[in-house]
Amino acid sequence: ENADGKYISPFHDIPLFAGSKEDKEIPAKRSKTTGSEVLFNMIVEVPRWTNAKMEIATEEPLNPIKHDIKKGKLRYVANIFPHKGYIWNYGALPQTWEDPNHMDKIIGCCGDNDPVDVCEIGSKIRSSGEIVQVKVLGVLALVDEGETDWKIIAISADDPEAQKIHGKYFYIDDVKKHKPGYLEATLDWFQLYKVPDGKPENHFAFDGEFKDKDFAVEIIKSTHEHWKALLHKKVDGGTIKCTNVLVSGSPFCCSDEDARSIVQSAPAFMNGDSVSPEVDSWYFFPK
C-alpha cells in the first residue's frame, strides 16, 4: 500500500527516480539529487546475510514480493564459503525490464525478463519490501544460462560512506579504495552461487570487469525504455503481469477497487517496513 491506502505494484507503480513526480527522463530535473547525482529507488527483496530467495513475482497481478518456489520447494541460496547468504542488500530497480526479445549488441545475449537487479553495499541491513534511495556506482554484466543479467552496484544515499565515493567518473575505483575486497567477493559470489545446486559456474561479459557509473546509467535508461514499451503494449510481455494503478496512459492501468480485489483474493501477503516519505511510504501490510 502507499500512504493513501492504495494497493500498488512494486514493479510498475514505484517511481524509478527518487523524488521525481513529473520528469521521468535522465537526468531528471525534478528528481532528488545528492550533489550532481540523480538518485534511484531500489526495492529491497533480500536483506544482507539472509538466504531466502525473495523476489518480485513478475507473473502475478500487482507483482507482490514473495519467496520463490521451484519444483514445489522454497528456494534458498547456499552459503558460499566464506560468505553467508546474500552479501549485499539485494533487490531491483522499479520501472525497468530486461526484455528477453532484445539482443544486447555488445554482449550478444537477450535480457532475463526481470527488472534490473541491484546490489546495495551500504552498512545498514535493510528489510524486504523497503524502498531505498541509492546512488549508482557501476555495473557488472553477468551472463546467466545464456541471458544478460545486469547487476547494478549502488549505495544508499544516506550511508555514511556514500559521500566518500565521489570520483568524477570512476566511482567503482572508490569502492575498491573504501571497501577493499567487496567487488572481488561479489564476482566470486555470482560465479559460484549456483554450483551447490548442481549447475555450472556463471560467467561474465567484459572478463568480469565492473563498468563505471555512466555505463550503468545507460543500462538503466535502456531498460526503463523497454519497461515503458511493455506497459504501453508496444511489445509482447508474454507472461509478465503489467497490472498497475498509477502509470498514466497504460492500457493495463486498473482502478483502486480492482487492485483491492486482486490483493484480497490472493492467498498470502508479506509484511514490510515503511519507507522514506520521499516516495510516499510504499510498503506492504499483512492481510
Side-chain angles (χ1 to χ4, degrees):
E1 292 186 9
N2 64 10
D4 298 325
K6 296 180 180 180
Y7 287 108
I8 52 92
S9 161
F11 186 3
H12 305 306
D13 289 320
I14 295 173
L16 171 61
F17 303 97
S20 174
K21 295 193 179 292
E22 299 175 12
D23 193 336
K24 303 297 185 184
E25 299 303 318
I26 296 177
K29 296 177 183 177
R30 299 176 182 84
S31 294
K32 186 172 180 180
T33 63
T34 173
S36 61
E37 293 302 312
V38 173
L39 302 182
F40 298 90
N41 288 321
M42 169 196 177
I43 307 162
V44 178
E45 295 167 307
V46 187
R48 182 187 288 117
W49 312 135
T50 63
N51 298 72
K53 188 171 175 54
M54 307 296 296
E55 60 182 29
I56 293 171
T58 60
E59 298 182 359
E60 296 187 26
L62 292 183
N63 319 111
I65 296 174
K66 297 179 65 176
H67 196 158
D68 191 37
I69 296 175
K70 191 169 185 178
K71 297 181 180 179
K73 295 183 178 181
L74 296 172
R75 297 181 67 189
Y76 297 86
V77 297
N79 294 322
I80 304 297
F81 184 82
H83 313 304
K84 169 66 174 73
Y86 288 77
I87 62 174
W88 344 256
N89 294 302
Y90 190 69
L93 292 177
Q95 298 188 344
T96 62
W97 180 52
E98 296 190 54
D99 187 346
N101 298 308
H102 174 76
M103 177 75 73
D104 187 281
K105 295 179 180 178
I106 301 175
I107 298 177
C109 297
C110 293
D112 71 348
N113 206 30
D114 283 326
V116 174
D117 296 321
V118 185
C119 302
E120 193 278 318
I121 65 172
S123 55
K124 184 177 179 180
I125 296 176
R126 302 290 177 167
S127 301
S128 188
E130 186 174 356
I131 307 303
V132 181
Q133 297 176 353
V134 298
K135 176 178 179 178
V136 168
L137 309 176
V139 64
L140 177 66
L142 175 67
V143 179
D144 187 353
E145 298 183 25
E147 297 175 333
T148 305
D149 190 3
W150 297 104
K151 306 297 182 184
I152 299 292
I153 308 301
I155 190 168
S156 172
D158 63 3
D159 191 87
E161 294 189 315
Q163 297 308 312
K164 297 179 182 178
I165 301 173
H166 54 66
K168 187 174 181 181
Y169 300 108
F170 302 107
Y171 285 6
I172 212 72
D173 289 343
D174 277 352
V175 176
K176 296 174 184 176
K177 177 181 177 182
H178 296 290
K179 290 182 173 288
Y182 211 160
L183 296 181
E184 291 82 357
T186 296
L187 272 173
D188 184 59
W189 196 95
F190 278 121
Q191 183 176 0
L192 299 175
Y193 82 102
K194 289 189 175 182
V195 172
D197 295 329
K199 295 184 177 181
E201 293 183 2
N202 283 322
H203 66 280
F204 310 93
F206 313 115
D207 295 322
E209 175 190 359
F210 286 85
K211 293 296 186 178
D212 63 25
K213 179 256 304 182
D214 289 345
F215 191 104
V217 168
E218 287 301 312
I219 296 302
I220 295 170
K221 181 192 298 186
S222 172
T223 56
H224 184 50
E225 291 302 316
H226 291 157
W227 170 84
K228 286 181 182 179
L230 175 70
L231 265 286
H232 290 87
K233 219 170 185 177
K234 294 180 179 179
V235 295
D236 181 9
T239 57
I240 295 286
K241 296 296 185 185
C242 300
T243 310
N244 67 85
V245 180
L246 301 174
V247 182
S248 177
S250 170
F252 302 102
C253 194
C254 72
S255 68
D256 297 340
E257 291 75 20
D258 288 340
R260 184 169 295 276
S261 177
I262 289 169
V263 173
Q264 290 177 344
S265 65
F269 301 94
M270 276 199 58
N271 184 20
D273 293 334
S274 61
V275 295
S276 168
E278 298 282 348
V279 244
D280 295 328
S281 298
W282 307 96
Y283 51 97
F284 296 108
F285 285 113
K287 189 173 180 180

